[in-house]
Amino acid sequence: DGVRGDEDRIDRGSQTQTLIVRWRGGDEDARDALIARLHPELEKIAVARLRGERGCSLSAGDLVNDAILRLIRINEVAFADRTHVLALSARMMRRILIERARHMAADKRRHERVQLNTSIDGVQRFDVIALETALVRLGLIDSQLSEIVELRYFAGMTLPEVAEILEVSESTVLRRWQAARAWLGDALTNPVAP
């Protein structure tokens, strides 16, 4: 029943969009229903972010909850669609991990830094603070490359989803994703001294 599956997917997408519109209008029940609907996807994003972490006591559920709390605190909700909500949530998860890593690094006691297992250049591990520094530098050079990295890596979005958000072709996203990965791989391997 491929047709029925497509109809169900379209209906769920329509319901999700309705919840987003109602939340933008201030409906807290719609906000709660939307969060419940997107929770499994947010959990997948959090699990992907935390996979391969060492010395991190933060669970995927904690990361999702922290991101949701930050979403709720947004005064004027201006989400366009489901993809936008997920992208912003992934960005918030990234910020949470960065803040946590900075806090741990500043702590007087010895702690290991939070590290992300990236696929920027093979199976390497990078310090989240070094990755954040490199992303900020990349954003200064080309903000769209930085945004593609955030959407692909931190939000776990597919090329078509990123293309839809940025309103460019999939081939453009693929080409720019490859350029961003190469640039970040070099920046993380050869960091600039502070």
Side-chain angles (χ1 to χ4, degrees):
D1 270 37
V3 173
R4 181 68 186 147
D6 288 343
E7 289 174 359
D8 288 344
R9 194 171 21 260
I10 290 168
D11 187 44
R12 282 192 309 272
S14 175
Q15 291 171 357
T16 299
Q17 190 61 37
T18 299
L19 291 172
I20 290 170
V21 169
R22 287 179 42 209
W23 183 13
R24 284 193 315 234
D27 185 339
E28 291 181 6
D29 290 335
R31 176 199 68 201
D32 295 344
L34 177 67
I35 289 169
R37 178 180 291 261
L38 296 180
H39 198 276
E41 290 177 86
L42 294 172
E43 188 84 19
K44 286 179 187 176
I45 292 169
V47 166
R49 293 307 109 234
L50 292 169
R51 188 175 293 123
E53 292 285 330
R54 20 179 215 141
C56 181
S57 61
L58 194 65
S59 72
D62 292 338
L63 186 56
V64 168
N65 290 338
D66 286 351
I68 288 171
L69 286 173
R70 290 181 184 206
L71 274 177
I72 290 171
R73 288 187 200 128
I74 296 174
N75 290 333
E76 293 187 31
V77 178
F79 302 124
D81 55 22
R82 174 192 146 279
T83 305
H84 188 205
V85 174
L86 293 175
L88 183 58
S89 299
R91 186 171 285 164
M92 289 178 176
M93 288 180 200
R94 175 179 156 222
R95 297 293 328 152
I96 291 165
L97 290 173
I98 290 165
E99 290 167 9
R100 184 176 176 82
R102 285 187 176 142
H103 174 75
M104 297 297 269
D107 196 342
K108 298 286 185 207
R109 291 166 282 163
R110 180 167 172 79
H111 292 284
E112 291 189 37
R113 289 184 169 180
V114 175
Q115 295 199 350
L116 297 173
N117 183 13
T118 70
S119 58
I120 289 172
D121 186 26
V123 185
Q124 296 182 10
R125 296 171 66 105
F126 296 104
D127 181 301
V128 71
I129 295 173
L131 180 58
E132 170 66 4
T133 301
L135 272 175
V136 168
R137 287 178 44 220
L138 179 60
L140 292 173
I141 295 167
D142 188 326
S143 61
Q144 189 181 59
L145 286 181
S146 178
E147 188 169 10
I148 288 171
V149 171
E150 285 185 10
L151 296 173
R152 288 281 292 150
Y153 177 71
F154 289 100
M157 293 187 173
T158 64
L159 290 173
E161 290 171 329
V162 174
E164 180 183 328
I165 286 178
L166 298 179
E167 298 176 348
V168 297
S169 70
E170 285 182 46
S171 60
T172 297
V173 172
L174 176 61
R175 191 173 50 255
R176 297 191 53 79
W177 168 239
Q178 291 169 337
R181 287 176 48 199
W183 190 93
L184 283 172
D186 182 60
L188 291 168
T189 305
N190 305 303
V192 173

